[in-house]
């Protein structure tokens, strides 16, 4: 039973890969997906009959030349569970995928029409909350500001921090919801960073750089 981000999650020996450009899923984040290609409609039907697990993979630059083949993907992926789905009349699907485990591709398994891979969970270091106290305080301080709380999912992240969720979870949700305008390479690096302290530090820096000063600046001033 692989472990990811502090909890235990099961995934099978072979997990379907869903490669996309510009999309990086993080543990605890929920990604809405619309499935219309035949190979991925088959993938969805197959996993819904069983384990409901899909690994989101980031396509590497130049993927356009071989999109319908096997273009290169980053070796670090996020495994997620389909938590709800809808099958449309024409066979397309809408589903919500909740990430749960950082993992690395060990090898791909030859298959058609979609890709399967053997995965291993990413082993994390420096994940103890005691070593993250200063970074947690900095992150919480940002979201106490109304301007940051007013960003997408900002209030949710503020509430999660107040309720005591692990710092790494709050940082992952901040990266997923707030860094979509940053280069996708940054989000992929954050997904693949096994040093939790370094990962959280980079998230705090990136979120701080957003500087959403146009929202309720007077309310922020008292916190500076």
């Amino acid at each position: 039973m692989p472990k990811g981000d502090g909890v235990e999650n099961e995934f099978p020996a072979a997990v379907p890969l869903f490669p996309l450009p510009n999309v990086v899923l993080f543990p605890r984040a929920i990604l809405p997906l619309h499935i219309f290609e035949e190979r991925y409609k088959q993938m969805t039907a197959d996993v819904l009959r069983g384990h409901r697990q899909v690994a989101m993979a980031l396509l590497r630059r130049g993927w356009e030349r071989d999109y319908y083949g096997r273009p290169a993907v980053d070796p670090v992926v996020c495994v997620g569970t389909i938590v709800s789905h809808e099958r449309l009349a024409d066979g397309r699907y809408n589903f919500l995928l909740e990430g749960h485990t950082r993992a690395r591709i060990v090898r791909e398994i030859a298959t058609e029409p979609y890709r399967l891979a053997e995965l291993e969970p990413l082993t994390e270091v420096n994940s103890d909350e005691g070593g993250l106290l200063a970074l947690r305080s900095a992150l919480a301080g940002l979201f106490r500001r109304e301007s940051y709380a007013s960003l997408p999912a900002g209030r949710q992240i503020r509430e999660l921090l107040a309720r005591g969720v692990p710092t790494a979870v709050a940082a992952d949700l901040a990266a997923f919801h707030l860094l979509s305008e940053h280069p996708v390479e940054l989000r992929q690096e954050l997904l693949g960073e096994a040093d939790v302290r370094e990962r959280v530090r980079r998230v705090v820096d990136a979120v701080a750089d957003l500087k959403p000063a146009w929202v309720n600046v007077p309310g922020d001033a008292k916190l500076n």
Side-chain angles (χ1 to χ4, degrees):
M1 183 179 291
K3 290 186 178 181
D5 295 282
V7 297
E8 293 187 337
N9 297 283
E10 293 183 350
F11 55 74
V15 182
L17 296 180
F18 190 13
L20 287 177
N22 302 316
V23 175
V24 179
L25 180 62
F26 286 84
R28 303 301 189 284
I30 296 179
L31 178 66
L33 290 163
H34 176 65
I35 308 300
F36 58 89
E37 286 188 43
E38 290 300 323
R39 55 181 168 169
Y40 296 125
K41 286 158 60 176
Q42 181 64 54
M43 175 197 76
T44 303
D46 290 346
V47 300
L48 286 174
R49 285 194 293 267
H51 51 69
R52 304 174 75 93
Q53 309 291 295
V54 175
M56 295 302 302
L58 180 67
L59 288 165
R60 287 189 163 173
R61 292 186 183 276
W63 59 268
E64 298 91 342
R65 294 188 295 271
D66 190 31
Y67 177 69
Y68 293 100
R70 300 172 74 86
V73 297
D74 194 279
V76 176
V77 300
C78 183
V79 184
T81 300
I82 297 177
V83 293
S84 67
H85 74 280
E86 173 190 23
R87 187 179 187 277
L88 305 179
D90 61 2
R92 292 175 296 146
Y93 288 90
N94 294 319
F95 65 73
L96 297 178
L97 187 70
E98 182 175 9
H100 60 69
T101 303
R102 287 174 162 84
R104 186 178 302 277
I105 296 173
V106 176
R107 65 185 180 95
E108 286 201 41
I109 301 166
T111 184
E112 293 293 344
Y114 54 87
R115 298 164 73 171
L116 285 168
E118 177 187 340
L119 306 177
E120 63 180 8
L122 203 64
T123 301
E124 298 185 332
V125 298
N126 293 327
S127 60
D128 60 292
E129 285 294 317
L132 298 172
L133 285 177
L135 290 168
R136 183 186 186 88
S137 178
L139 189 63
L142 288 173
F143 287 103
R144 281 197 297 270
R145 304 183 182 195
E146 186 59 29
S147 56
Y148 286 88
S150 297
L151 293 169
R155 284 186 173 80
Q156 175 195 9
I157 295 167
R158 180 168 68 183
E159 291 169 4
L160 290 172
L161 285 164
R163 295 206 318 255
V165 303
T167 305
V169 171
D172 279 347
L173 291 173
F176 179 76
H177 288 287
L178 301 181
L179 303 184
S180 60
E181 299 304 318
H182 284 62
V184 69
E185 290 82 5
L186 170 62
R187 285 173 279 142
Q188 183 63 35
E189 288 173 8
L190 292 171
L191 179 68
E193 178 57 74
D195 187 321
V196 176
R197 195 176 305 158
E198 175 63 12
R199 183 199 311 154
V200 174
R201 183 196 65 77
R202 294 185 67 183
V203 170
V204 171
D205 288 347
V207 172
D209 284 344
L210 293 173
K211 296 183 174 64
W214 62 88
V215 182
N216 200 357
V217 174
D220 286 348
K222 62 184 179 183
L223 295 167
N224 290 333

